[in-house]
Amino acid sequence: MTVVPPSATRLSVLIPFAIVTLIWGSTWLVIRGQLGAVPLGWSVTYRFTVAGLAMLAYTLARGERITLDARGWGFAAVLGLFQFCLNFNFIYRGEQHVTSGLVAVVFALLLFPNAVFGRLFLKRKLGVQLLFGSGVAIGGIALLFVHEARVDPHGPREALTGIGLTLIGTLAASVGNVMQGTQAAKRYPMVPMIAAAMLLGAVINAAFAWVSFGPPVFSTAPAYLLATLYLGLVASALAFPLYYGVIRAIGPAKAAYSSVLVPVIAMALSTAFEGYRWAPLSMLGAGLVIVGLIIALTERKPAR
């Protein structure tokens, strides 16, 4: 019996996987630039208005149109609600209570709901090597979490609130992730679908922001404008199509390993720009995350 290379190690998967991981590793720091003068609901709205318009322009440049049937628009609306509204509203709220590094660590638990939902709704098997690699990586995440909790300057209630909000956002993101692996998603071209979902997500965000925070508020501060453009164009319009392509190639469980490496990158950036100090516990945790990633992504399946 011959052994075929796993799809997770093809360059067509590894390259977008690496790009997405590097981009999203930086977003936790950049999100700070959107918090403060502008209510978070409006900041999320502006982010996905920029992203949705960019995706629409890209769709038209490819010679495509957003021509969805009623079921397709319904799918786009649900995706917009979970992936581009609930996910980010809760994540932004989490960053108001705890450090960006801790939020990144908690969000890395996306691996678990992605794997479980993938098993329940997509009938994807959870291989022994994937489970073992997941256990090793989550052990590393736990060590990073313990270290962050020890050095968090906020009180226990603030930390608990931030963690809870981030977990809710993580579950919402997982719903959006798993939707990309369904047959319903594969019926429609990916780029027009993402454009529609982002634009609908922006509309939902705007309605939510208006009810929660009142009329639109905007800032012309250079840091805010740059953060909004980066998060809209690079972290959303560029990264999400790449990430969804990875999901369709290797499934939501393995694709979620981008969120396992993200906290390591986020903490490295925090070291450079926020004075984050590494301790033996955090270094051990980062090492375990990388080992777990290697174990899970090098799983091989026998050819039939």
Side-chain angles (χ1 to χ4, degrees):
M1 180 179 294
T2 59
V3 175
V4 297
S7 59
T9 57
R10 293 200 308 262
L11 286 179
S12 61
V13 172
L14 289 176
I15 291 175
F17 181 94
I19 293 172
V20 168
T21 302
L22 290 172
I23 291 173
W24 284 347
S26 68
T27 57
W28 306 98
L29 188 63
V30 179
I31 283 173
R32 291 288 182 182
Q34 273 202 312
L35 299 178
V38 177
L40 62 89
W42 284 114
S43 286
V44 178
T45 300
Y46 301 143
R47 171 177 178 167
F48 286 105
T49 298
V50 171
L53 291 175
M55 287 300 301
L56 177 60
Y58 180 49
T59 299
L60 297 177
R62 286 164 53 98
E64 296 180 285
R65 294 183 179 180
I66 303 178
T67 53
L68 304 176
D69 55 18
R71 181 179 296 180
W73 282 110
F75 185 93
V78 174
L79 181 61
L81 173 63
F82 281 93
Q83 186 75 76
F84 305 124
C85 179
L86 295 178
N87 171 20
F88 287 94
N89 273 280
F90 282 109
I91 293 299
Y92 276 49
R93 276 176 167 75
E95 287 216 19
Q96 290 184 319
H97 295 275
V98 293
T99 64
S100 61
L102 182 55
V103 172
V105 169
V106 175
F107 191 80
L109 297 176
L110 179 69
L111 173 68
F112 273 152
N114 270 17
V116 173
F117 290 161
R119 178 71 181 100
L120 291 175
F121 299 109
L122 305 180
K123 307 303 181 185
R124 290 184 176 271
K125 295 182 179 180
L126 302 177
V128 174
Q129 193 169 332
L130 174 62
L131 292 174
F132 179 69
S134 300
V136 173
I138 294 302
I141 291 295
L143 293 181
L144 290 171
F145 177 86
V146 169
H147 173 73
E148 284 295 298
R150 286 180 177 177
V151 301
D152 191 345
H154 302 287
R157 180 175 296 181
E158 281 289 291
L160 184 61
T161 301
I163 291 169
L165 290 169
T166 304
L167 285 173
I168 296 173
T170 302
L171 289 174
S174 183
V175 172
N177 284 189
V178 173
M179 286 178 68
Q180 291 305 307
T182 63
Q183 291 301 316
K186 296 175 182 178
R187 294 192 188 104
Y188 305 99
M190 185 173 67
V191 173
M193 173 58 73
I194 296 176
M198 284 184 172
L199 290 171
L200 289 173
V203 172
I204 297 170
N205 275 309
F208 172 78
W210 200 302
V211 170
S212 302
F213 304 104
V217 177
F218 192 72
S219 172
T220 56
Y224 185 84
L225 294 175
L226 289 173
T228 301
L229 289 174
Y230 179 81
L231 292 170
L233 296 176
V234 180
S236 300
L238 173 62
F240 272 105
L242 292 176
Y243 183 60
Y244 285 165
V246 172
I247 288 177
R248 294 187 182 193
I250 63 176
K254 286 186 176 181
Y257 262 90
S258 65
S259 68
V260 175
L261 276 179
V262 158
V264 179
I265 298 172
M267 288 181 178
L269 291 175
S270 184
T271 302
F273 297 102
E274 295 180 327
Y276 180 85
R277 294 185 179 182
W278 288 85
L281 194 63
S282 57
M283 288 189 286
L284 177 60
L288 287 177
V289 167
I290 295 173
V291 170
L293 172 68
I294 293 172
I295 292 172
L297 291 183
T298 54
E299 181 177 36
R300 293 179 178 271
K301 296 180 181 179
R304 293 181 179 179

